[in-house]
Amino acid sequence: MHGFSRAVGLPTWQSETLVREGRQVRVTALPGRHGPALAHRLLPPVMGSLWEFGAAGAEPEVRLYVTGDTVMFPGVHEIARRCPDVQLAVLHLGGTTLPGGLLVTMDARQGVEMMRALELPEVLPVHYEEYGVMRSPLADFLAATEREGLGDRVVRCRRGERVAVGPNGAVAIGGPLRGER
């Protein structure tokens, strides 16, 4: 966020609201898990976040969920319960796999599971193909969403492009917002 100079560490489910010039953003720390079941205890902690944007003191106009480097785990269903009406989720994908086959970030299959669990209307895949340990390229996720009838929910943004999210979750990549004229 440009113009905000103080950082605050947030425990899971805690929020911080920043207000400036009649607008606000509330950031809520959400649970995440690096790896399956007990293995996640040996890995660095991760978190996701809910970003809610709107007029100061009013209901949010835009709700954005950033998954962080998580895998699917039971806490995702708690996120779905506590954070309805997310317009766009930024899914950290790539299927990062450590030696021995330990999956520590979502692969294509888990990305689709996340979309279904949270009933996401739109997703923006990020964080794939950056490292040699990533085993699930973007093409795998795009193919999986098409197979599952979810391909129209994927926001495709090439490196260097910007995405704008407006009220009602309309998304633009360098042009007018979809759903608006």
Side-chain angles (χ1 to χ4, degrees):
M1 294 294 306
H2 298 289
F4 294 104
S5 59
R6 64 183 172 100
V8 176
L10 295 173
T12 302
W13 300 116
Q14 297 301 304
S15 299
E16 182 73 16
T17 302
L18 306 169
V19 179
R20 183 171 180 189
E21 298 174 4
R23 304 292 295 166
Q24 74 178 29
V25 59
R26 180 174 51 222
V27 180
T28 303
L30 301 180
R33 181 176 288 173
H34 236 348
L38 298 173
H40 78 276
R41 294 174 191 243
L42 302 173
L43 298 166
V46 296
M47 61 168 274
S49 54
L50 178 68
W51 293 69
E52 298 174 287
F53 300 90
E59 284 294 310
E61 297 163 11
V62 175
R63 287 185 174 92
L64 172 71
Y65 170 41
V66 179
T67 65
D69 284 345
T70 191
V71 294
M72 278 295 293
F73 72 107
V76 169
H77 300 288
E78 183 67 8
I79 293 170
R81 188 181 72 72
R82 290 188 184 203
C83 304
D85 304 323
V86 168
Q87 285 111 340
L88 175 70
V90 178
L91 298 182
H92 289 227
L93 297 172
T96 302
T97 306
L98 300 181
L102 184 65
L103 186 70
V104 297
T105 64
M106 286 187 286
D107 58 10
R109 181 185 57 78
Q110 289 192 1
V112 168
E113 282 182 54
M114 175 79 71
M115 290 177 72
R116 292 211 185 277
L118 296 174
E119 300 178 7
L120 296 168
E122 293 185 306
V123 298
L124 173 63
V126 299
H127 194 49
Y128 50 83
E129 301 169 0
E130 274 86 14
Y131 306 105
V133 293
M134 293 182 157
R135 301 287 185 250
S136 183
L138 178 61
D140 289 359
F141 178 69
L142 296 176
T145 58
E146 288 297 330
R147 266 193 317 275
E148 297 294 322
L150 301 171
D152 62 332
R153 298 183 189 186
V154 179
V155 176
R156 298 171 191 218
C157 181
R158 291 185 298 257
R159 293 183 199 284
E161 289 182 327
R162 292 184 290 177
V163 173
V165 182
N168 304 317
V171 176
I173 303 174
L177 296 177
R178 284 198 310 231
E180 293 184 0
R181 306 252 185 266

